[in-house]
Amino acid sequence: MMFTNIDWALIGEATIDTLLMTGFSLIFTVIIGLPLGVILFLTSKHQMLQNGPVYQVLSFVVNVLRSVPFLILLIVMIPFTRVLAGTSLGVEGAVPPLVASAAPFFARLVENVLRELDPGVSEACRAMGANSRQTVLLALIPEATTGIVAAMIVTAIALVGYSAMSGVIGGGGLGDLALRFGYQRYQTDVMVVTVAILVVMVQLLQVFGDRLVARLNRR
């Protein structure tokens, strides 16, 4: 009978690993991507710190990292990941490439969110004598909170999918389990369960994100 030979303890462990990979990666992605997105916005045309060369360099780096398929990035980053995390396997080995892939994506989302703000916000801050740091921390970020939270949810959902792909190089989690048991050992039931869990994760993240954004909008 289907599902009778599944090691549910192994499924549970893989699920926890996927949650850890997604959670830690999202934290570091926000830590890196939020300031990067703000800098991209501030150094772009007609903004407070307009600087063409800086913007072009940062934009080029972001576009390059976003354009590299995640599977290739996983493999290319193995030497760097070993230096940074001490291993290229497991949760620790999956986090650096996940962050390298997601941070530029999140930064671009943040930049777009800030571009959609009313230009009058920045102009009012400048008229009151606020510097760029005060304008960002006290006006732009608070005004863009809802959009930034929505961008975080989108990034978290993308990270769930990326974390599954990290199983190709032994990154652990549900992707690794699906590859080793579902694909290599032809255990279709394991494949079905892992896919179902990933779908549930994405749905829960989306529902939670939608409700959080709706609550922030009401405020």
Side-chain angles (χ1 to χ4, degrees), residues 121-145:
V121 175
S122 297
E123 294 172 1
C125 291
R126 285 198 295 268
M128 291 186 291
N131 57 33
S132 57
R133 179 184 177 186
Q134 292 170 330
T135 300
V136 169
L137 295 179
L138 302 179
L140 295 182
I141 296 298
E143 283 291 322
T145 297

Side-chain angles (χ1 to χ4, degrees), residues 13-27:
E13 183 180 343
T15 302
I16 292 173
D17 284 348
T18 296
L19 291 173
L20 289 174
M21 280 189 284
T22 303
F24 283 119
S25 299
L26 182 62
I27 291 172

Side-chain angles (χ1 to χ4, degrees), residues 3 7 25 28 42 50 61 78 85 91 102 106 110 112 117 160 172 178 209:
F3 305 129
D7 187 340
S25 299
F28 288 115
L42 293 177
Q50 178 178 334
V61 172
I78 287 177
V91 174
F106 180 67
V110 170
N112 291 335
L117 294 179
V160 171

Side-chain angles (χ1 to χ4, degrees), residues 184-198:
Q184 295 178 348
R185 302 185 186 182
Y186 304 103
Q187 292 182 247
T188 307
D189 49 358
V190 173
M191 184 73 76
V192 170
V193 170
T194 53
V195 170
I197 294 174
L198 289 170

Side-chain angles (χ1 to χ4, degrees), residues 67-78 97 165 168-169:
S67 63
V68 177
F70 181 65
L71 188 57
I72 295 175
L73 188 64
L74 274 172
I75 298 170
V76 169
M77 283 190 61
I78 287 177
M165 281 189 277
V168 173
I169 63 165

Side-chain angles (χ1 to χ4, degrees), residues 200-211:
V200 170
M201 282 185 184
V202 170
Q203 292 299 318
L204 290 176
L205 278 171
Q206 190 65 64
V207 170
F208 171 77
D210 289 344
R211 291 183 178 179

